[in-house]
Amino acid sequence: MTEPSPQSTAGASTTGAEPRTGSQLVKRGLAEMLKGGVIMDVVTPEQARIAEDSGACAVMALERVPADIRVDGGVARMSDPAMIQGIQEAVTIPVMAKARIGHFVEAQILEALGVDYVDESEVLSPADEAHHIDKWAFTVPFVCGATNLGEALRRIAEGACMIRSKGEAGTGNIVEAVRHLRSILGDIRALTQADSTEVFDWAKRLQAPLPLVQEVAATGALPVPLFCAGGIATPADAALAMQLGAQAVFVGSGIFKSDDPAPRAKAIVEATSHFDDPHILAKVSRGLGAPMTGIGMDDLDLRLADRGW
Amino acid sequence: MKVGVLAIQGAFAAHAAVLESIGVAPVEVRRPAHLEGLDGLVLPGGESTTLSMGLDRAGLTDPLRAFVGSGAPVLGTCAGAILLATQCLDGRSDQVQIGALDVVVRRNAFGRQVDSFEVDLEFPALAAGAPPGRSAAPFHGVFIRAPAVEEVGPSVEVLARLEGTPVAVACGSVVATTFHPELAADPRVHEFVLGRSPAGRR
């Protein structure tokens, strides 16, 4: 773990006999625990139990999966608290839930419900066209989407404790998630080659805080875990994300919009654990039935990944 | 020295980084063959339900049990501690229990993530590394949706407590913590475990 940013320790000591909640170490710590796992979108307690039975390391509780949000249109908001609580009661694994970008009151409500991670998500309709949530103000940790390194570091500066690729949610098409992972990880690799003078220019071009850019240049990694989301539909998709350098995967519509969710969920869990073993990938990919129907990027009217600033 | 880190799911990368920092080569363990030639093993935190299913699906449960019983140093943290226990409360009925530590643990005993916390712990057994005559400096405990040790059998030694509740326990060369030493930027717990012999160096 890297040291928390100065904001997190202001006015409080990290050592002492008094237990301390909501610190960066504790918030980023849960993201560490989710590595190598699959976080599954679920809309009912029954789906949540299928996810847990399949080996999901967490679930994302929401009213509609992204594929349905895309079809339904209109304004997509935080889920009904009763629905989130129903899922919390159904499973023992962590439960995450989504708040709209910039909608800090939805985030306050999710924190009051005791959700384990808040996803400030572009899948919902943005509530603020300029500002994301000040995530330092919360005890609950946040995950945010990013399409490139600058966006990832801006979210971390705002207090995000986990970054995920945005991909293009609800499409069953991995191409955008691959673009985002390659962009983030490729820029990290290039940044580690920059000399100390060039790092200033990197910060300017990335529109990201200099101390975070310097940290990435020195360590060769984001200061928080990097997961993949957006378009994973098959075990091979999950393993692709992991081999590219993601540390865990979110699967949204890909499981419960497929023909036979339970075996697919289990196969994606195994593929994420054994992402670098093609023999196991071949075994778990057999006979899963039809995946969700995918959508080509040229056929999209709405790009969810364009949301966020 | 080669030490395995169970890498089915969870905080295996953080444990591997600690091992590297003390000059130990970490080996990611995902299949039974990966256990061959190891001098020790770490069972990391993560989700115990996910780890349990992953062990069964990979055919690792019995090989792991055999390795843990072999007398080699083993450290289980959080979900890893749950796996090592003889009994788990508030878990799934089909959860794997290695049963190397005669303790009863309760999952998520401290609450949800908003209740996760960090606190300094007295851990007297770490004094072995301190200058002569000095007691061990506190160890910084990071508790993430942590389990609690609710019952301890006669074969089990309690190494550290938080407000009376055991948070680090051992039986011979097998040590479990309900907190996350891999997140503390302090390798003393790892060093302590790897220094334990089957005879029970106390």
Side-chain angles (χ1 to χ4, degrees), chain A residues 246-302:
Chain A
Q247 293 163 319
V249 301
F250 287 81
V251 185
S253 319
I255 290 170
F256 290 101
K257 283 290 169 186
S258 73
D259 272 5
D260 197 358
R264 180 167 297 269
K266 189 177 151 194
I268 291 175
V269 168
E270 282 197 75
T272 305
S273 284
H274 301 281
F275 65 91
D276 60 352
D277 188 329
H279 296 287
I280 292 180
L281 297 176
K283 193 182 81 182
V284 304
S285 299
R286 292 164 60 102
L288 295 177
M292 71 177 284
T293 306
I295 308 174
M297 290 305 123
D298 295 340
D299 301 327
L300 281 186
D301 297 327
L302 174 65

Side-chain angles (χ1 to χ4, degrees), chain A residues 200-240:
Chain A
F200 294 100
D201 185 52
W202 269 93
K204 185 177 72 181
R205 283 188 283 125
L206 292 173
Q207 300 179 59
L210 178 64
L212 284 176
V213 177
Q214 287 170 322
E215 182 179 342
V216 173
T219 63
L222 286 183
V224 305
L226 172 64
F227 291 5
C228 177
I232 291 175
T234 68
D237 288 345
L240 175 65

Side-chain angles (χ1 to χ4, degrees), chain A residues 14 16-17 20-21 23 26 33-35 52-57 92-94 114 116 266 273-274 277, chain B residues 8-10 30-31 46-47 49-50 53 57 92 107-108 112-113 116-120 140 144-145 180 183:
Chain A
T14 51
R20 183 164 167 248
T21 59
S23 63
V26 165
M33 299 310 134
L34 299 172
K35 282 183 175 177
E52 187 177 70
D53 289 347
S54 307
C57 66
T92 63
I93 55 180
D116 295 296
K266 189 177 151 194
S273 284
H274 301 281
D277 188 329
Chain B
I8 295 283
Q9 191 271 322
R30 294 189 171 87
R31 292 202 309 272
E47 277 307 311
T49 55
T50 306
M53 289 176 223
R57 290 172 193 168
R92 293 169 58 92
R107 282 181 76 208
N108 303 338
R112 298 183 183 279
Q113 171 62 16
S116 292
F117 60 96
E118 50 181 304
V119 66
D120 278 354
H140 197 60
I144 311 281
R145 287 171 48 92
H180 290 282
L183 300 181

Side-chain angles (χ1 to χ4, degrees), chain B residues 7 10 16 19 33 40-41 59 61 63 65 67 85 87 104 109 131 166 179 181 187 195 200:
Chain B
L19 293 174
L41 183 65
T61 306
R65 187 173 278 127
F67 186 90
Q87 194 187 341
V104 178
F179 59 92

Side-chain angles (χ1 to χ4, degrees), chain A residues 65-242:
Chain A
V65 294
D68 290 332
I69 290 173
R70 197 174 272 291
V71 171
D72 294 349
V75 174
R77 308 178 181 89
M78 178 188 80
S79 298
D80 184 334
M83 179 270 163
I84 294 170
Q85 284 173 319
I87 287 171
Q88 286 176 319
E89 285 159 16
V91 294
T92 63
I93 55 180
V95 175
M96 305 187 180
K98 291 183 194 286
R100 283 179 265 178
I101 289 173
H103 205 316
F104 49 84
V105 174
E106 284 187 350
Q108 290 165 5
I109 292 169
L110 293 175
E111 179 170 88
L113 290 172
V115 306
D116 295 296
Y117 242 91
V118 174
D119 184 2
E120 186 183 18
S121 178
E122 70 285 357
V123 169
L124 305 183
S125 307
D128 190 318
E129 293 186 326
H131 309 94
H132 284 251
I133 297 169
D134 173 8
K135 293 164 274 285
W136 296 101
F138 288 80
T139 301
V140 66
F142 282 71
V143 51
C144 289
T147 60
N148 57 54
L149 181 57
E151 201 175 358
L153 295 178
R154 287 195 293 280
R155 297 295 84 81
I156 293 167
E158 295 157 0
C161 295
M162 179 202 301
I163 295 295
R164 55 170 175 76
S165 65
K166 286 182 177 172
E168 194 54 39
T171 62
N173 190 334
I174 193 69
V175 66
E176 292 298 303
V178 169
R179 184 206 307 281
H180 301 158
L181 288 176
R182 282 206 179 275
S183 175
I184 293 167
L185 293 162
D187 271 356
I188 290 173
R189 284 187 284 270
L191 179 52
T192 60
Q193 302 301 309
D195 70 21
S196 59
T197 307
E198 291 165 340
V199 170
F200 294 100
D201 185 52
W202 269 93
K204 185 177 72 181
R205 283 188 283 125
L206 292 173
Q207 300 179 59
L210 178 64
L212 284 176
V213 177
Q214 287 170 322
E215 182 179 342
V216 173
T219 63
L222 286 183
V224 305
L226 172 64
F227 291 5
C228 177
I232 291 175
T234 68
D237 288 345
L240 175 65
M242 296 293 288

